Structure formats: C-alpha cells, structure tokens
Amino acid sequence: MSLTNQPPAQTATTANANAQWGGRFAGGPSDIMQAINASISFDKALWKQDIAGSLAHAAMLAHVGIISKDDEAAIRAGLNEIGSEIAAGSFTFSEALEDIHMNIEARLSERVGEAGKRLHTARSRNDQVATDFRLWVRDAIDGLDQQVASLMRALALRAREHAADPMPGFTHLQTAQPVTFGHHLMAYVEMLARDRGRLADTRRRLNECPLGSAALAGTSFPIDRKMTAALLHFERPTANSLDAVSDRDFAVEYLSALSILAMHLSRMAEEIVIWCSSPFSFIRLSDAFTTGSSIMPQKRNPDAAELVRAKTGRINGSLVGLLTVMKGLPLAYAKDMQEDKEPVFAATDAAALCLAACDGMVRDMTANTQQMRALAGSGYSTATDIADWLVRVLKVPFRTAHHVTGRLVARAEAQNIGLAELTLAEMQAEEPGITQDIYSVLSVDASIASRTSEGGTAATNVQAQATRWLEALTSGTHTTAEG
C-alpha cells in the first residue's frame, strides 16, 4: 500500500483485533503498523517449504503421541489441499494474517477445524521460518548448481573446439603472451568450479534443522527432533535453540557465494563486451543476444553481457544489506530478521538470470579465429620466448636474458617491425651467442606449443583439460576435473 499523503493512521477497533494474538491485544494494528509488519507479499514464496515443514512436524507430533493419528491425517490432507490451492492460484493471501505461516495455518483450521489448531503445538514461528528459509536456500542452491554446471559444460565444449586457436593473452589489458582461445575459456571453468564448491559448502553447513527450537528456549513437549530433521532431509537438528532461531549465517554465506559468482560472471561479460567491440572483433553474437540502436542502424550492442555485468551490483547490494540487518542484533529473534528474505530472493533471481544469459551467449557466440590469430603476435608477445631461449640454450641468467630481450624489443620498435624481422646480425649485436635457431621460437604457434607445463596454454593441455572437465561434469564431480 502507498503511504504517501495518507490521513493519520487509526488504530483498529476491538472488533478488528488480530485473532493471532488471542486475548493479549484488545485492538488491532494501525494501517501503518500492518503495512510495515506484514511479510506475506514476499514470504509467500516459502509456501512449499512451509507446507513441507508442517507435514514433518505433524507426523512427528503424532509419532510421539502429542496429537492423535486422526488429527495428523486431517492435517496432512488439509495441507496437501492447501498446496494444491496455492499451486493453482486460487488461494487468497491475507495481509492481516501477516505471513505465509499464519495464512496457511488459518486456512488449515478453516478446512479441518480443531485438528488444524493443534499443528502449532511445540513450535513457534521463529523456528518455523528458520526451517522454511533453510529449505528454500537449499533448494535454490540445488537449482543454481545445475545452472553453473551447464555453463561450465558450454565453456568446456567451446574450449575443446578452440583448443589450438591462438589469441592474444593480456595483462593490464596489454598484449602479454600468446594463448589459445580455448585456454582462456577454460579459466572461467575453473572459476565456476570454485563457485560450485562454495555453494556446496554453504549447503552442507546450512543442512541442520531448527524445527523444535520453538521461540528460543526449546519446548517442554517430548518431541523427536531427529525425526523431523530426517523427514526434511537435514543431516541433524541444530544444537542450540537460541542460535537456531537467530542464525542467518547460511543466508549471508549464500549471498557471499552468489556475490563471488556474480563477480566471475561480470568479468566474463566484460570480456564479451570487449571481444564484440569493433577494434577487437574476436567474437560475434547473434540477434538472440544483442540489440540495435534507435538512431544508428549499424549498431549491434551486447546488451545481455552488459546487463550481466550490471546485475553484480544488485547481488552485492543484497549481501551488504543483509549483513547490515544482522550486525547489531542481540539473541534471539528480532523482527529485523524479516528483512532477510527479499535480498536472498532478489539475488537468487538475478544470479539465475545471469547464468542463463552467460550460458546462452557462450553457446551462441561465433569466434573470429583469424582476427584473434592476427593479433596474437602483436605487441611483441613472443619476447618472453626469446628470453627463455637465451636461458635454455645459452645458459644466460634469466635477469640478463630479460635485459637482452628488452634491447631487442627496443630495436624492433624503433624500426616498427616485428621481432622475427630483426636480422641475425642485429640480434647478435645485443648477444653474440644468438644463432639462427632463435627464429624457431618467435612464431605464435611455437610459443603456444612450448607452454606444456601443467596448466599451460599448449593445445594438448587445453584439449585434455576440457575433456577431463566434460567427463567430470557428466559424472557429477563438483570442484576438480581430476576428482
């Protein structure tokens, strides 16, 4: 609701008292209080998790004899019917009932009567929402993990395709040494593997069940927390009831993992933008991932990549926002923590969209291998190969070889020619021991082929690593091609 230019808020009458609080409150909340307090507009996204948690709780209550088997059966049937209503879009959410928990519970009581009112025995909304939220984040991690794996497969396939195609490698965005396009793409596979590892670590740590912690102190009822944990596929119950209801580390850690993932996707997107630009022209994206200009008919703008780059700010903001919410809260639960869900939901949506866009662009792009090759040898990119040759063949100390090579680059630069165009006499003027053999290391292909060290850019390395990763991804290995 909009609060702009509203008349002074009025407190609701006794007749409108909030039924949730029973006899404690004679009157209902003001319009402003209701607007700031209600969370149903966003936490209705937790409905599947809330129903799952309630089903597990009801089964446990019946198992230990706190409620009857008949009540549990009625609750189970009612919750399943409510789930069908919500899925079909026929469920009416009420802001007056504040949140998803009370909306479902109220509807359950309407459907099954007294049995529905027994469901909340031995639990609180505090442990209920902590459980629901962990379940939601766990589900989100599983979905994003599959998306990351798909993008890794797309990159590895393209890397294998371009394992031997040279391109300039950069430091400081200046030409440094020749690499292959496949090697460059495989760098992102490694980054994304670490992202999958972080998400998996987050999932492992959050996989403890708060249900049964009640409001903050546990409960006097003889509940079986191991049973509810098992029914909800948690590894174990949480160990401390105060911590269980007030912990949002899992959400912070999840957003931290998403922020790092978004940073990696943003770096990839930035390179796609650069590679698409006319001075580079390394790749081309089709109409599916570009837009035009309203005034310049020749333009093909890589807007999908630019928006991936921009959405990093949204995801980072979600992390900072939740850290700020949590930083000053005493134990246990405080209403501030209602602000935990929207940033997590928003960041998840943004991350999923960015992953889909990057996956699409990688599969869509066409590499201009001729242009990459033409520029791979620019900027005296094989200079290091001269220094390495001097060390390897003439046994010159590397620092001396570095200085000799620098003088050769200066000679070539003064004449505006490539290193391979220097005469043998010119090279020997800087180092008499140089022989004709030095020209064998000055080509881009020779430079790339020589980089056979583990993790190097030699085409055989790239081909093998891409193949290993594709096999690992098929087998379900998360973090290493050798795993």
Side-chain angles (χ1 to χ4, degrees):
M1 64 175 289
S2 172
L3 299 181
T4 306
N5 298 321
Q6 293 293 313
Q10 301 297 314
T11 301
T13 64
T14 303
N16 294 325
N18 194 325
Q20 297 174 75
W21 317 133
R24 173 65 180 85
F25 285 76
S30 70
D31 290 345
I32 291 175
M33 180 61 196
Q34 182 164 298
I36 197 171
N37 195 48
S39 60
I40 190 60
S41 64
F42 53 85
D43 71 16
K44 62 186 177 184
L46 299 173
W47 70 268
K48 288 182 181 179
Q49 291 78 22
D50 195 73
I51 288 175
S54 291
L55 287 169
H57 185 64
M60 180 275 296
L61 292 177
H63 177 74
V64 299
I66 295 174
I67 64 174
S68 70
K69 295 290 185 183
D70 289 342
D71 281 346
E72 189 270 333
I75 289 169
R76 183 172 65 252
L79 287 171
N80 286 331
E81 289 167 359
I82 290 169
S84 297
E85 287 180 1
I86 298 175
S90 59
F91 187 94
T92 300
F93 293 100
S94 168
E95 187 181 78
L97 292 172
E98 289 189 13
D99 57 36
I100 188 61
H101 322 299
M102 297 308 296
N103 268 265
I104 289 177
E105 184 179 322
R107 179 62 175 146
L108 181 65
S109 296
E110 286 178 6
R111 296 191 70 96
V112 303
E114 291 297 309
K117 296 179 182 179
R118 292 190 173 95
L119 174 61
H120 207 55
T121 307
R123 76 174 182 185
S124 161
R125 286 192 300 175
N126 292 357
D127 63 339
Q128 191 178 356
V129 70
T131 302
D132 291 358
F133 200 20
R134 284 179 186 244
L135 289 171
W136 192 96
V137 172
R138 193 176 71 183
D139 290 342
I141 287 173
D142 291 345
L144 290 175
D145 178 75
Q146 292 304 306
Q147 284 194 271
V148 177
S150 178
L151 176 54
M152 291 171 69
R153 278 191 292 271
L155 286 162
L157 284 168
R158 299 312 300 268
R160 192 164 63 178
E161 177 187 349
H162 295 289
D165 289 325
M167 71 173 289
F170 300 97
T171 60
H172 308 277
L173 204 55
Q174 305 295 310
T175 303
Q177 292 177 279
V179 297
T180 69
F181 189 42
H183 189 60
H184 197 120
L185 295 177
M186 286 304 299
Y188 286 104
V189 174
E190 296 296 328
M191 292 184 208
L192 292 167
R194 295 193 294 273
D195 291 318
R196 289 188 84 196
R198 275 182 282 270
L199 288 170
D201 286 346
T202 300
R203 192 190 194 285
R204 176 176 55 79
R205 264 185 291 278
L206 71 77
N207 208 30
E208 297 181 347
C209 185
L211 201 57
S213 299
L216 75 161
T219 178
S220 59
F221 289 96
I223 61 173
D224 185 345
R225 293 192 63 207
K226 288 185 173 64
M227 178 180 175
T228 47
L231 288 172
L232 294 170
H233 305 291
F234 286 108
E235 288 294 323
R236 63 189 69 84
T238 50
N240 182 284
S241 60
L242 280 167
D243 178 56
V245 299
S246 61
D247 168 43
R248 292 299 183 270
D249 288 2
F250 65 92
V252 172
E253 187 174 0
Y254 172 62
L255 289 177
S256 178
L258 291 194
S259 294
I260 299 172
L261 168 63
M263 177 264 290
H264 289 154
L265 297 181
S266 182
R267 295 182 72 180
M268 183 190 304
E270 168 70 2
E271 296 212 286
I272 289 173
V273 171
I274 292 171
W275 294 344
C276 283
S277 66
S278 296
F280 280 81
S281 297
F282 284 178
I283 65 169
R284 178 183 173 87
L285 294 174
S286 76
D287 294 353
F289 290 94
T290 57
T291 65
S293 165
S294 64
I295 188 173
M296 295 168 285
Q298 84 282 7
K299 292 295 294 298
R300 181 186 292 273
N301 300 322
D303 283 5
E306 291 172 6
L307 288 166
V308 167
R309 188 174 59 187
K311 287 184 184 295
T312 305
R314 185 184 298 249
I315 295 171
N316 290 350
S318 294
L319 171 60
V320 173
L322 184 54
L323 283 168
T324 305
V325 167
M326 297 301 298
K327 71 173 182 62
L329 298 186
L331 297 178
Y333 183 84
K335 194 69 170 182
D336 310 50
M337 292 164 68
Q338 183 168 289
E339 294 294 309
D340 59 357
K341 296 166 202 66
E342 286 183 287
V344 168
F345 295 163
T348 302
D349 287 345
L353 184 56
C354 289
L355 282 164
C358 286
D359 195 314
M361 286 186 289
V362 169
R363 296 176 192 274
D364 176 79
M365 67 185 180
T366 302
N368 184 348
T369 55
Q370 289 183 330
Q371 175 72 353
M372 290 186 193
R373 174 177 284 277
L375 294 180
S378 65
Y380 306 104
S381 65
T382 58
T384 304
D385 296 278
I386 294 179
D388 289 348
W389 185 92
L390 292 171
V391 172
R392 188 172 57 252
V393 177
L394 301 186
K395 309 304 180 187
V396 174
F398 181 80
R399 189 52 58 199
T400 301
H402 186 282
H403 292 320
V404 170
T405 304
R407 293 195 296 271
L408 290 174
V409 170
R411 275 180 174 268
E413 193 171 38
Q415 300 175 61
N416 196 27
I417 60 175
L419 287 169
E421 296 173 88
L422 288 172
T423 66
L424 182 59
E426 287 174 307
M427 290 195 179
Q428 289 174 337
E430 301 299 341
E431 170 50 60
I434 292 176
T435 67
Q436 189 72 29
D437 181 62
I438 200 169
Y439 291 97
S440 67
V441 303
L442 292 181
S443 71
V444 165
D445 289 325
S447 176
I448 289 172
S450 71
R451 294 318 197 264
T452 56
S453 58
E454 186 171 351
T457 191
T460 52
N461 284 10
V462 176
Q463 187 75 241
Q465 190 70 351
T467 298
R468 279 196 296 269
W469 263 118
L470 289 168
E471 291 172 353
L473 289 163
T474 299
S475 67
T477 303
H478 276 219
T479 58
T480 171
E482 287 73 28

